[in-house]
Amino acid sequence: MYDLKGKVAMVTGAGRQGGIGAAVARRLARDGARVVLADICAPPTNLSHAGCGQWEELAAIAEEIGGLPVRVDVSD
């Protein structure tokens, strides 16, 4: 366990309930960090690969941990 009180963490790819990004965000929050959860939240048909998060899931995870959800494309 780490003491992350007073720290801010941004986790990309956090928009899937069962995903690694969501798990990392939950752990950071449990350790005291304020967490910004980011995901592209685009329909799979708009991407060359599947597996992106959805806004509803991102917002639900953020609410669960008291984080801030943001829609962002980190490749741009």
Side-chain angles (χ1 to χ4, degrees):
M1 177 163 169
Y2 298 96
D3 181 11
L4 299 177
K5 290 180 182 78
K7 304 291 184 184
V8 176
M10 181 173 197
V11 181
T12 60
R16 297 184 74 191
Q17 283 286 352
I20 293 170
V24 169
R26 287 181 179 109
R27 177 59 189 257
L28 290 166
R30 187 173 59 221
D31 288 346
R34 297 182 67 196
V35 183
V36 177
L37 298 96
D39 206 298
I40 193 167
C41 299
T45 55
N46 292 353
L47 301 172
S48 59
H49 62 288
C52 63
Q54 298 301 312
W55 176 256
E56 293 79 15
E57 287 185 76
L58 184 70
I61 297 163
E63 183 175 337
E64 172 191 331
I65 67 170
L68 174 67
V70 294
R71 183 175 290 148
V72 64
D73 181 352
V74 297
S75 68
D76 189 13

